[in-house]
Amino acid sequence: SIATHPDYESKAREAGKPNPHLSVVPPPLYGQSLQAAGTANERIEIELSERLSDELRELTLRPGVGALTRDLGQFQLCATATFALLKRISGQETITISAPAHNRVNRQFASSAGLFIELFPIEVTVDGHETFASLHKRVQSAVIDYVRSARPGHANPDVNRRLNVVLNYLTAEFASFGGNPVTTRWLHPDSADSHHQLRIQVFDFDRTGRFTLAVDVATGVLGERQRAGVAAHFETMLNAMVEDWDKPIEEVDLLSDE
């Protein structure tokens, strides 16, 4: 119930101190400044092909790739592609991003009304010879740390304000309304937190079998072509990952004919 939440928060004040093992190093996007550049934001939306969506799901069935749940396995694959992309466009080896957690950790919280979502850091070090397979193992370990730390009231605002990239894998579905099928459209307000330069959101709200990417980019940080480019580059990483799990991420060709 809501009444139990203060107990979590009081314990969080002691347990929620910054993880001393985290470096907290946000990646510069295409060499741009890490300074906040206003709240203006553009969303680039890409519907992944049925083939790519199916291959991402099939990839979680491989030995060593899956997780406790199907959705956690998909999240780890999206995180692997995210860290691979950020390594390529920033040149940075240790990278810290954030991801939201619903924080409904027991039955009492699951049945409570309210918004408990908080952002928690995920940090991975990517070396110069990393393959998708080897990077995924690093991501798995980092996600375990993330899941362990994701408790109500444990988020650290000072750490979150320093992080410029958010990965959000959404499991919500809106398959019907009164028995009637629906088409869901997520309206973007063209604005975001000033320190969030890049948000990568992956979802399939209407159970179409095809994932949608909603890539939200700060317009004060990246120009129009770069904003379109980062969305296309993430899709390229996903395609490269399912085509060759053992491919070195430095060998993925991010350049288009344009």
Side-chain angles (χ1 to χ4, degrees):
S1 68
I2 292 293
T4 65
H5 199 264
D7 291 335
Y8 269 87
E9 289 188 328
S10 62
K11 294 176 183 177
R13 276 190 282 272
E14 296 186 9
K17 296 177 181 178
N19 184 338
H21 302 295
L22 285 180
S23 301
V24 189
V25 277
L29 306 179
Y30 301 101
Q32 299 300 313
S33 170
L34 292 171
Q35 296 298 317
T39 61
N41 194 276
E42 179 187 13
R43 170 165 291 178
I44 297 96
E45 203 164 286
I46 299 175
E47 186 176 19
L48 300 185
S49 68
E50 186 175 352
R51 172 200 60 79
L52 178 53
S53 299
D54 287 343
E55 289 180 348
L56 285 169
R57 293 186 179 94
E58 291 169 3
L59 191 52
T60 63
L61 302 178
R62 288 193 186 185
V65 179
L68 290 175
T69 68
R70 179 194 64 181
D71 288 324
L72 183 58
Q74 291 292 338
F75 172 72
Q76 290 178 166
L77 287 180
C78 291
T80 299
T82 299
F83 281 104
L85 175 63
L86 294 174
K87 169 64 169 67
R88 290 290 305 276
I89 68 175
S90 72
Q92 193 165 283
E93 291 193 346
T94 299
I95 296 168
T96 316
I97 67 172
S98 62
H102 57 65
N103 276 344
R104 296 182 178 273
V105 295
N106 55 40
R107 290 184 179 180
Q108 286 182 315
F109 280 103
S111 60
S112 298
L115 185 65
F116 300 148
I117 294 174
E118 294 178 288
L119 290 169
F120 294 90
I122 304 175
E123 186 170 286
V124 171
T125 297
V126 189
D127 70 36
H129 305 287
E130 211 79 71
T131 65
F132 287 111
S134 65
L135 176 56
H136 182 263
K137 291 181 180 179
R138 295 178 185 265
V139 168
Q140 283 180 314
S141 178
V143 169
I144 289 174
D145 290 339
Y146 156 80
V147 171
R148 285 174 177 165
S149 67
R151 294 286 186 241
H154 283 222
N156 186 285
D158 292 331
V159 170
N160 282 335
R161 278 192 290 267
R162 293 168 59 189
L163 299 179
N164 63 331
V165 177
V166 177
L167 173 62
N168 188 15
Y169 176 81
L170 295 104
T171 61
E173 297 176 342
F174 306 96
S176 65
F177 181 79
N180 299 307
V182 300
T183 299
T184 307
R185 183 184 176 195
W186 184 0
L187 299 178
H188 183 54
D190 299 324
S191 183
D193 298 83
S194 61
H195 58 285
H196 286 169
Q197 297 183 345
L198 174 64
R199 291 174 174 173
I200 299 174
Q201 321 208 59
V202 185
F203 54 89
D204 180 14
F205 290 146
D206 298 332
R207 297 183 189 173
T208 64
R210 298 174 64 178
F211 290 118
T212 297
L213 302 179
V215 182
D216 302 338
V217 192
T219 59
V221 176
L222 298 181
E224 183 177 355
R225 293 188 64 182
Q226 286 180 315
R227 296 197 297 271
V230 71
H233 290 165
F234 185 71
E235 184 180 17
T236 297
M237 278 295 178
L238 291 174
N239 273 297
M241 185 169 64
V242 300
E243 288 171 5
D244 187 353
W245 187 233
D246 295 310
K247 188 182 186 71
I249 62 173
E250 293 292 342
E251 293 182 8
V252 177
D253 186 4
L254 296 179
L255 297 178
S256 68
D257 293 337
E258 298 179 0

